[in-house]
Amino acid sequence: MKLAELLSGIEIKEGCYDPELEITGVSYDSRQTKPGEAFVAIPGFASDGYRFIPKALERGAAVVICEREPEQKTQYVQVVSCRRALARLGANWFSHPADKMTMIGVTGTNGKTSITYLLKTVLEQTLGAKVGLIGTIQNMIGTEVIHTERTTPESFELQKLFAQMADAGCTHCVMEVSSHALVLHRADEISFETGIFTNLTEDHLDFHKTMDAYCEAKAMLFTRCRHGVVNTDDAYAQKIMAHATCSLLRYAEKDPEAELRAEDIELAADHVAFTAKTAHEQAQVRLAIPGGFTVYNALAVIGAGLTLGIPLSRIADALKTASGVKGRVEVVPTPGKPYTVLIDYSHTPDSLENVLKTVRGFCKGRVIAVFGCGGDRDPFKRPIMGRIGAELADLCVVTSDNPRTENPISIIEDILRGVHRDSDYTVVPNRREAIACAL
């Protein structure tokens, strides 16, 4: 591809380059740069890509895309934002693959993964669609599973993934859209048909600093959608909708103004059931996934389906056959044992509170919670999770959970700051031993 084609649509400040130069690829990691590629010097939080320009040139980079003129003599393009440029470079290089599919984005603190999987099932069953999925646990092209490192990949990798999906015949793509991805321009160059807002609770404040900034990041999704589906039972819904430039469909259990509501809710140990109502129709919904949050997740999926023109009755029928996501209130068989074991990926105070309250609703004995907090992530939520675990479980087993570069004991001490001294808890740092202790 010629450099001029690659740079199409990018805001350029100045540069010294040949627009007819043939480019063999794009890289933003100097260790991976190949001869003839365009190297993008992205300013990072830990290190600045500008420092690695010499290494990229050494490895054969043909041109450097940067935010300030390089010290080395080379062809270069100075842009306003390298992160924005990288997203456009990816779209140009892969011929704008997202435009070839119906894109649905899901944002919010909790529920994103479950909603994307449920929506994938609904689209497959009601439209016969081949669906791509991008999320926390894994990426999928139809039934093919692709490993993922983060909720939303870097923009160039994201465009490559879209191209793989489109080439494989995917007509739809459902993806989790993290607040990081929106702020750091990973989700640029995507026109979403529908965006979903689930809820907003304390998370990622190490990055966003304040809840208002976190909310504004999430709200960015609704400036690049045709339709927005918003949970108006959430305290931040009004701020999300105030930023929106798309048409809006509200869903709720409590908000009487919502266009889509859940009524006659039944919560059981092995399912939830409710009546989904709009102004013109209603349908009985049943999912074999326990928990009050499943009602909200189902409403989000129904709302998205309605914006795509799928009849409510057909969405409800598809949801009856849907299964849960591994790690989301996942039942572990324990034949012959006098207890039930559930695995849940509760990594925020709100999700931990939700799952423990859900379990308390159908538990016939004690609730024992084994949990920890990840390292190199928001430390403010640790004592909050400690308090919630101690208050809502009969016994808390505090342990280590992916400490990354932090000292596991320091993380546990942060958690314990929220645990009342009279609470019934124990500390077992080794996770395997902690699970054995709870069993």
Side-chain angles (χ1 to χ4, degrees):
M1 179 181 285
K2 293 190 185 302
L3 182 56
E5 296 174 74
L6 187 62
L7 296 174
S8 174
I10 294 172
E11 191 176 353
I12 298 171
K13 292 174 72 175
E14 59 175 62
C16 176
Y17 60 92
D18 174 9
E20 295 299 304
L21 183 67
E22 281 291 339
I23 300 298
T24 60
V26 177
S27 70
Y28 54 91
D29 182 339
S30 61
R31 295 167 297 183
Q32 307 297 326
T33 302
K34 296 181 178 63
E37 289 188 338
F39 173 71
V40 188
I42 298 178
F45 296 102
S47 59
D48 189 345
Y50 189 86
R51 289 175 44 213
F52 301 103
I53 291 174
K55 181 69 175 175
L57 293 173
E58 230 177 79
R59 293 182 63 87
V63 63
V64 172
I65 296 170
C66 48
E67 293 180 10
R68 60 185 190 276
E69 185 178 342
E71 297 171 4
Q72 296 75 19
K73 186 177 172 71
T74 183
Q75 295 200 54
Y76 74 95
V77 182
Q78 190 177 347
V79 298
V80 173
S81 165
C82 277
R83 289 191 179 277
R84 285 179 180 163
L86 184 63
R88 183 70 183 196
L89 291 168
N92 289 343
W93 183 261
F94 294 106
S95 301
H96 299 267
D99 294 347
K100 300 167 187 173
M101 298 180 288
T102 299
M103 303 295 301
I104 302 139
V106 187
T107 199
T109 307
N110 300 312
K112 296 187 296 296
T113 299
S114 296
I115 288 168
T116 54
Y117 276 78
L118 289 173
L119 192 49
K120 183 174 185 289
T121 297
V122 168
L123 294 173
E124 288 168 344
Q125 293 202 15
T126 60
L127 302 179
K130 185 169 185 178
V131 183
L133 181 146
I134 297 173
T136 306
I137 297 175
Q138 61 191 16
N139 299 328
M140 299 181 73
I141 299 177
T143 56
E144 180 190 356
V145 175
I146 301 168
H147 177 67
T148 182
E149 293 291 342
R150 47 164 74 110
T151 301
T152 313
E154 190 54 82
S155 59
F156 194 82
E157 271 62 45
L158 196 54
Q159 293 294 334
K160 181 180 180 181
L161 192 51
F162 292 153
Q164 291 174 316
M165 290 176 177
D167 290 346
C170 289
T171 55
H172 293 69
C173 173
V174 291
M175 63 180 288
E176 297 182 43
V177 185
S178 69
S179 54
H180 288 72
L182 290 161
V183 171
L184 298 177
H185 304 286
R186 292 181 199 147
D188 284 11
E189 304 301 324
I190 306 170
S191 294
F192 291 95
E193 179 68 18
T194 299
I196 299 170
F197 170 72
T198 63
N199 51 58
L200 204 70
T201 61
E202 190 168 293
D203 197 21
H204 301 308
L205 294 190
D206 52 332
F207 180 79
H208 296 291
K209 308 304 179 191
T210 68
M211 286 298 290
D212 281 342
Y214 184 29
C215 180
E216 286 172 14
K218 295 289 190 187
M220 291 170 68
L221 176 62
F222 300 91
T223 63
R224 50 188 79 175
C225 297
R226 285 190 63 208
H227 307 283
V229 178
V230 178
N231 170 16
T232 49
D233 280 347
D234 187 81
Y236 284 90
Q238 295 305 318
K239 286 188 176 182
I240 294 289
M241 293 191 294
H243 285 80
T245 57
C246 57
S247 66
L248 294 169
L249 185 155
R250 299 167 292 180
Y251 69 91
E253 287 182 17
K254 304 180 184 75
D255 178 15
E257 303 297 319
E259 290 85 5
L260 173 62
R261 290 176 44 78
E263 297 182 1
D264 309 319
I265 297 168
E266 174 192 326
L267 304 179
D270 61 348
H271 73 275
V272 299
F274 63 93
T275 304
K277 286 188 176 181
T278 69
H280 308 292
E281 56 185 335
Q282 66 181 53
Q284 299 306 308
V285 179
R286 181 186 171 103
L287 283 93
I289 308 168
F293 44 81
T294 298
V295 177
Y296 281 104
N297 292 345
L299 285 173
V301 171
I302 293 167
L306 292 175
T307 67
L308 299 175
I310 305 170
L312 175 58
S313 58
R314 294 198 63 203
I315 300 170
D317 286 343
L319 286 173
K320 287 174 186 172
T321 66
S323 57
V325 181
K326 286 185 73 65
R328 299 296 194 272
V329 199
E330 179 186 353
V331 180
V332 180
T334 52
K337 300 292 184 185
Y339 50 70
T340 300
V341 175
L342 299 171
I343 299 174
D344 193 82
Y345 180 62
S346 299
H347 65 288
T348 67
D350 184 62
S351 59
L352 181 62
E353 182 174 1
N354 278 340
V355 74
L356 288 178
K357 283 183 174 178
T358 293
V359 171
R360 179 66 74 190
F362 55 75
C363 180
K364 294 177 181 175
R366 290 194 304 159
V367 174
I368 301 174
V370 182
F371 73 96
C373 291
D376 299 334
R377 297 293 186 271
D378 182 1
F380 305 107
K381 66 185 180 184
R382 294 171 186 170
I384 301 171
M385 291 181 70
R387 174 183 58 78
I388 289 169
E391 287 178 356
L392 297 180
D394 294 298
L395 170 63
C396 245
V397 183
V398 182
T399 187
S400 180
D401 179 3
N402 194 7
R404 299 182 177 88
T405 65
E406 284 194 70
N407 182 333
I409 302 303
S410 297
I411 297 172
I412 289 171
E413 287 171 353
D414 285 345
I415 295 169
L416 294 179
R417 284 193 291 109
V419 177
H420 192 274
R421 66 185 64 183
D422 294 334
S423 301
D424 195 358
Y425 74 93
T426 186
V427 175
V428 185
N430 181 288
R431 192 169 187 82
R432 184 182 293 273
E433 292 173 8
I435 293 168
C437 168
L439 296 177

